Amino acid sequence: MSIKSIVAGVVGAFLCAGTAQAQQAVQWRVEDGGNGHWYEGRLLSETSFISWRYARERARAVGGDLAVLNTLRESEWVFDNVASNTALWSLSMGPWIGAIQSPGASEPSGGWQWIDGTLLFSGFPWTPVHQPENAIYCGGDENRVCYWFGEGPPQPANRFADLVETGYCTVRPEGDWVTSAIVEWS
């Protein structure tokens, strides 16, 4: 067997593995009014909470990053096609996304931006009751964003809450935590 055929086999196996990963993601196609990006909900733990930092590291490890939702339309599409999957939710908390609050920003609503440096769009769908709130009962500054069902029965919703970077909050007697993330590839 020649070196050329060995290299071709290794490259082919690598490309197939990369394709398998992309097939699990869903594309918001340009011809459907989208941006051409791919999105995937990733359950990163079935038994414990995950930090925002860990979620971002895992997203980058597969060549993407946490999702940046630039418009309400994109937010709705990602929710309908990815984030609404109940397997990605733990009690009231859904997946992490790539929104952060700038260090030293005025609390609770100042300085919110995406990991690419752009500001959250006007009308960002925070959960209508008290969000963002920077609640002290979660153990620190709430300066990261996850999906959150908000008020009413626990069910996925295209709503968001600020949360501590650890992804864990004791607002309920049994605790509440983030176990997943939305990964985006452009």
Side-chain angles (χ1 to χ4, degrees), residues 50-143:
I50 58 159
S51 72
W52 184 90
R53 186 177 321 272
Y54 177 79
R56 188 165 192 208
E57 288 170 1
R58 299 289 27 101
R60 287 176 161 181
V62 296
D65 209 335
L66 293 177
V68 171
L69 310 174
N70 288 307
T71 64
L72 183 56
R73 186 161 181 234
E74 181 179 10
S75 173
E76 290 168 345
W77 189 92
V78 169
F79 176 76
D80 290 344
N81 292 279
V82 181
S84 60
N85 179 347
T86 57
L88 301 174
W89 291 68
S90 172
L91 297 175
S92 64
M93 297 202 183
W96 285 119
I97 59 170
I100 59 174
Q101 189 176 33
S102 303
S106 62
E107 292 295 351
S109 57
W112 287 100
Q113 63 184 15
W114 296 106
I115 52 179
D116 66 4
T118 59
L119 299 177
L120 270 62
F121 59 88
S122 177
F124 181 74
W126 293 106
T127 297
V129 179
H130 312 297
Q131 294 296 326
E133 64 180 343
N134 198 41
I136 58 171
Y137 54 76
C138 285
D141 285 338
E142 293 189 328
N143 54 15

Side-chain angles (χ1 to χ4, degrees), residues 1-77:
M1 182 176 268
S2 72
I3 292 288
K4 186 176 181 180
S5 62
I6 292 171
V7 170
V10 169
V11 169
F14 177 75
L15 291 175
C16 287
T19 303
Q21 180 61 47
Q23 290 172 343
Q24 296 173 1
V26 181
Q27 185 181 32
W28 190 26
R29 300 176 340 151
V30 172
E31 54 269 29
D32 296 334
N35 57 15
H37 293 191
W38 293 83
Y39 302 87
E40 180 183 28
R42 289 203 164 215
L43 181 62
L44 299 171
S45 174
E46 292 184 24
T47 59
S48 184
F49 57 94
I50 58 159
S51 72
W52 184 90
R53 186 177 321 272
Y54 177 79
R56 188 165 192 208
E57 288 170 1
R58 299 289 27 101
R60 287 176 161 181
V62 296
D65 209 335
L66 293 177
V68 171
L69 310 174
N70 288 307
T71 64
L72 183 56
R73 186 161 181 234
E74 181 179 10
S75 173
E76 290 168 345
W77 189 92

